[in-house]
Amino acid sequence: MSLNLEDKKAVVAEIAAEVATAQTIIIAEYRGIGVASMTTLRKQARESGVYLRVLKNTLARRAVAGTPFAELADQMVGPLVYGISEDPVAAAKVLNTFAKKDAKIVVKAGSYDGKVMNAEEVAVLASIPSREELLSKLLYVMQAPMAGFARGLAALAEKKSEGVAAPVEAAEAPAEEATA
């Protein structure tokens, strides 16, 4: 399907808007992938907050021109799917994980922090925990001392209440024996 000039300008503007807020762009080749697999990939990308789109490479090159991702333009050859995300690892995780399941998706390259990465570097980036995972781990580490302190106080209170209850029960037992 051929796009007219106005449609091309609209696509470039849309992609440029996504690229302006992005931290990472990952590109993957998708030769021979089935519709069901591509639909699954798009669903996973949507759930992870990744903008995933199949684009004409010339339009993608125009969209990244003048941005920190401009050096990635040399890698834009062949049938590619573009994963663009604000989260530094989300696009790499989605495409890398899916490439392990479906051999027809091959991660080619990526760009993060103004640097072009090859497929191995994208895999390393994908292995880094996401922001949410790191925040939850940090929260756990911050809560651990407080939780330990609270458990210690609860154990101390329980021990103290057991110590108070035992003499009361012992005092009541002789009184019952005296009445019998």
Side-chain angles (χ1 to χ4, degrees), residues 28-29 33 41 44 92-108:
E29 202 168 276
I33 190 169
L41 175 60
Q44 290 174 357
K93 272 188 185 293
V94 168
L95 285 167
N96 197 46
T97 304
F98 197 81
K100 289 177 184 175
K101 294 177 190 170
D102 191 338
K104 293 179 181 172
I105 290 281
V106 178
V107 175
K108 248 182 115 171

Side-chain angles (χ1 to χ4, degrees), residues 148-168:
F149 182 68
R151 281 191 298 272
L153 282 178
L156 181 64
E158 185 178 317
K159 185 177 180 183
K160 213 171 192 183
S161 67
E162 286 176 4
V164 170
V168 170

Side-chain angles (χ1 to χ4, degrees), residues 77-131:
V77 179
L80 299 176
V81 62
Y82 295 83
I84 303 169
S85 69
E86 292 179 26
D87 183 348
V89 297
K93 272 188 185 293
V94 168
L95 285 167
N96 197 46
T97 304
F98 197 81
K100 289 177 184 175
K101 294 177 190 170
D102 191 338
K104 293 179 181 172
I105 290 281
V106 178
V107 175
K108 248 182 115 171
S111 181
Y112 170 67
D113 199 27
K115 297 180 180 108
V116 175
M117 302 178 294
N118 60 24
E120 292 81 27
E121 292 169 328
V122 171
V124 169
L125 181 64
S127 69
I128 296 173
S130 70
R131 183 176 190 271

Side-chain angles (χ1 to χ4, degrees), residues 15-148:
I15 303 305
E18 289 292 329
V19 168
T21 61
Q23 289 193 26
T24 307
I25 296 179
I26 306 297
I27 57 177
E29 202 168 276
Y30 67 95
R31 288 183 203 267
I33 190 169
V35 173
S37 292
M38 186 59 102
T39 303
T40 303
L41 175 60
R42 288 176 192 219
K43 180 182 178 215
Q44 290 174 357
R46 236 185 344 268
E47 290 170 354
S48 298
V50 176
Y51 180 82
L52 189 76
R53 181 133 184 215
V54 174
L55 296 168
K56 287 188 169 210
N57 295 329
T58 54
L59 299 179
R61 283 188 203 106
R62 287 187 183 168
V64 298
T67 68
F69 304 108
E71 293 180 24
L72 191 60
D74 297 337
Q75 303 290 327
M76 296 177 183
V77 179
L80 299 176
V81 62
Y82 295 83
I84 303 169
S85 69
E86 292 179 26
D87 183 348
V89 297
K93 272 188 185 293
V94 168
L95 285 167
N96 197 46
T97 304
F98 197 81
K100 289 177 184 175
K101 294 177 190 170
D102 191 338
K104 293 179 181 172
I105 290 281
V106 178
V107 175
K108 248 182 115 171
S111 181
Y112 170 67
D113 199 27
K115 297 180 180 108
V116 175
M117 302 178 294
N118 60 24
E120 292 81 27
E121 292 169 328
V122 171
V124 169
L125 181 64
S127 69
I128 296 173
S130 70
R131 183 176 190 271
E132 289 77 26
E133 291 174 56
L134 290 174
L135 286 174
S136 68
K137 288 179 182 180
L138 177 64
L139 184 61
Y140 174 77
V141 168
M142 290 172 60
Q143 285 181 338
M146 296 290 238

